[in-house]
Amino acid sequence: MFQIRPFDAPLGAEVIDIDLGKPLAAADYERMINAFHDHSLLVFRDQDITPEQHIAFSKRLGELQVHIQSTYHLPGYPEIYSISNVVDENGKPIGLADAGKVWHTDLSYVTQPSRCSLLHALEVPHDDSGKPLGDTLFASTIRAYEALPDATKRRLVGLKAMHSYMHIFDKITAMKRVGAANLVPLTEEQKKKVPDVMHPVVITHPYTRKKILFVNEGITVSIAGLPQAEGAALLQELVDHAHKPEFVYRHSWRAGDLLMWDNFSTQHLAMHDYALPRRRRMRRTTVQGSTPVYDPLPT
Ligand code: SIN
């Protein structure tokens, strides 16, 4: 029987004594999912799982998404996205080194963004004193919404924002001078698969019914229906607000960690404070969610 230990933080809990390599009984799965919705992020330590087991566990949550950056699919497993600064014996990157360099919500640029992501750490970099590097920060979009002034909450009702893959691509490419960078330009065919999409600025969580501030620095381009300058100022105010320190949990990785986070109720940022020969090697799946909607009824 596994234990759930909530963090002393705005979000997150550790699940203790669980082996994700083994199928979970229906009642255990339900207890885990309830904890996931309560805490937005679950940490499973010491998971020694294969790609097949990672996929099998992820699939219990829904249909898996295949990332548009096909260069970094784990060979033989298109549902697994490799995130790594490591290169093979021919100098070829084995994964995307640039992942998460700006605050974002995974795949908010598609009509049905990721319900959740499951990131498994195989190798974690450390500094000379043994302190882990390459932490990931997660901000609660529920807390962020709740902390908005009432006048701002009223102003946001009915507003929609545009989300774009090319926006985060361009932002990360512009940061190339900072550390490793290996995003691969999309072909015209791939670009057609990720057209810009509109989502409400405030959405209702599909399971908990809580209200969520659903804009992020990396992928949200603009707010529609407002004069350009007013929309740009509002978007900047919201994306800056969304990751204030009081909404943030910072995860220090250990090899074997598997983190599962809710992409509706969190957004995240990866710290790029390491470089080869310090190696970071992770594998990620993303589970398709529903189309974000705003439901005006109170939670
Ligand atoms: C991501 O943005 O999904 C990757 C986060 C990380 O590498 O820590």
Side-chain angles (χ1 to χ4, degrees), residues 125-137:
H126 292 84
D127 71 10
D128 291 341
S129 71
K131 180 177 156 305
L133 300 169
D135 291 358
T136 310
L137 279 62

Side-chain angles (χ1 to χ4, degrees), residues 83 99-100 104 106 119 134-136 253 261 268 270 280 282 284:
I83 293 174
H104 69 287
D106 287 334
L119 186 63
D135 291 358
T136 310
W253 291 89
W261 64 83
H268 58 283
R280 190 174 191 267
M282 327 281 272
R284 191 186 79 185

Side-chain angles (χ1 to χ4, degrees), residues 6-220:
F7 296 147
D8 182 15
L11 58 92
E14 182 175 346
V15 185
I16 299 159
D17 287 334
I18 189 166
D19 178 358
L20 299 181
K22 297 197 178 125
L24 277 183
D28 287 340
Y29 177 77
E30 199 179 322
R31 197 157 73 89
M32 185 212 60
I33 280 293
N34 289 339
F36 179 55
H37 291 146
D38 286 347
H39 301 292
S40 297
L41 173 143
L42 297 179
V43 176
F44 305 90
R45 301 274 193 194
D46 305 317
Q47 298 301 317
D48 183 14
I49 54 169
T50 62
E52 287 82 3
Q53 289 166 325
H54 187 163
I55 289 171
F57 177 62
S58 307
K59 274 192 173 163
R60 283 201 71 173
L61 291 134
E63 195 180 320
L64 301 193
Q65 295 166 306
V66 173
H67 202 279
I68 196 70
Q69 281 275 329
S70 48
T71 310
Y72 300 122
H73 295 167
L74 185 68
Y77 304 93
E79 306 94 331
I80 295 190
Y81 194 44
S82 281
I83 293 174
S84 184
N85 66 338
V86 174
V87 293
D88 69 14
E89 57 284 2
N90 302 314
K92 188 168 164 270
I94 66 159
L96 178 70
D98 299 310
K101 271 184 177 162
V102 280
W103 281 98
H104 69 287
T105 298
D106 287 334
L107 278 72
S108 79
Y109 52 81
V110 300
T111 46
Q112 294 178 298
S114 312
R115 170 188 180 189
C116 63
S117 302
L118 299 101
L119 186 63
H120 185 216
L122 301 177
E123 290 183 71
V124 174
H126 292 84
D127 71 10
D128 291 341
S129 71
K131 180 177 156 305
L133 300 169
D135 291 358
T136 310
L137 279 62
F138 295 87
S140 166
T141 53
I142 297 172
R143 294 282 187 100
Y145 175 77
E146 288 171 353
L148 287 171
D150 285 343
T152 308
K153 287 181 182 162
R154 284 194 294 274
R155 190 176 170 206
L156 299 184
V157 172
L159 288 182
K160 289 196 168 186
M162 186 192 285
H163 295 242
S164 162
Y165 175 76
M166 291 316 294
H167 192 60
I168 193 163
F169 182 95
D170 291 342
K171 273 188 182 241
I172 289 180
T173 305
M175 294 165 80
K176 257 190 172 147
R177 63 193 179 282
V178 190
N182 60 10
L183 263 179
V184 178
L186 298 190
T187 62
E188 289 308 313
E189 207 50 43
Q190 284 174 315
K191 280 185 191 167
K192 283 189 201 139
K193 290 188 182 156
V194 282
D196 297 350
V197 297
M198 302 289 277
H199 295 305
V201 169
V202 176
I203 65 168
T204 305
H205 193 281
Y207 296 93
T208 66
R209 316 292 304 152
K210 287 191 191 302
K211 296 283 182 290
I212 283 162
L213 179 60
F214 198 64
V215 288
N216 65 81
E217 187 176 21
I219 299 172
T220 315

Side-chain angles (χ1 to χ4, degrees), residues 221-299:
V221 185
S222 56
I223 296 184
L226 294 177
Q228 200 278 334
E230 187 185 340
L234 178 60
L235 180 59
Q236 193 61 53
E237 180 188 324
L238 295 176
V239 297
D240 290 346
H241 170 82
H243 49 79
K244 285 186 177 157
E246 58 268 35
F247 312 140
V248 171
Y249 161 70
R250 180 173 183 138
H251 186 73
S252 259
W253 291 89
R254 284 192 223 152
D257 284 356
L258 186 138
L259 258 62
M260 166 173 157
W261 64 83
D262 183 324
N263 279 299
F264 290 124
S265 59
T266 66
Q267 48 181 257
H268 58 283
L269 171 76
M271 300 306 292
H272 284 258
D273 54 359
Y274 58 91
L276 287 174
R278 302 181 203 282
R279 293 161 59 102
R280 190 174 191 267
R281 196 158 60 91
M282 327 281 272
R283 291 178 182 160
R284 191 186 79 185
T285 52
T286 49
V287 180
Q288 184 176 304
S290 49
T291 303
V293 288
Y294 173 70
D295 175 351
L297 292 176
T299 47

